[in-house]
Amino acid sequence: MMNDILLETLGAREMAFLSGPSFAKEIIQELVTCVVVASESEALANEVHDLMSSSYFRVFTSNDVVGVEVGGAVKNVIAIAAGMCEGLG
């Protein structure tokens, strides 16, 4: 998991992890997008929320770092499978 790699590489420190789904093109067009920022530190999660949130870019917070990491990976697999199904008709 990314949080394990960063802990091993950078040592113990507060970290936050952002997960979509989100698309840069849609964010630039100011289309409503929701993401989650997860951190074991509620204060850090709230700080990231405050820095990134806007009227069209909604940031929700969580303390479930592993869940957000797994969810982010699984949604990518589902998206690829859905795209393949659509491509096959």
Side-chain angles (χ1 to χ4, degrees):
M1 302 296 287
M2 183 56 66
N3 63 329
D4 295 326
I5 294 169
L6 291 173
L7 180 62
E8 183 180 306
T9 304
L10 302 174
R13 64 185 62 210
E14 291 183 341
M15 292 182 265
F17 301 86
L18 186 72
S19 184
S22 60
F23 298 98
K25 182 178 179 181
E26 292 177 358
I27 296 167
I28 294 296
Q29 295 171 340
E30 297 187 2
L31 298 177
V32 175
T33 300
C34 296
V35 297
V36 176
V37 62
S39 178
E40 293 177 0
S41 165
E42 183 177 353
L44 180 58
N46 289 331
E47 185 177 345
V48 173
H49 168 274
D50 293 345
L51 286 170
M52 298 186 75
S53 292
S54 72
S55 61
Y56 61 90
F57 192 77
R58 306 291 170 90
V59 180
F60 294 92
T61 62
S62 173
N63 64 353
D64 184 7
V65 172
V66 172
V68 168
E69 286 191 80
V70 170
V74 169
K75 69 133 171 82
N76 291 335
V77 173
I78 293 170
I80 291 169
M84 293 170 65
C85 289
E86 184 176 333
L88 294 171

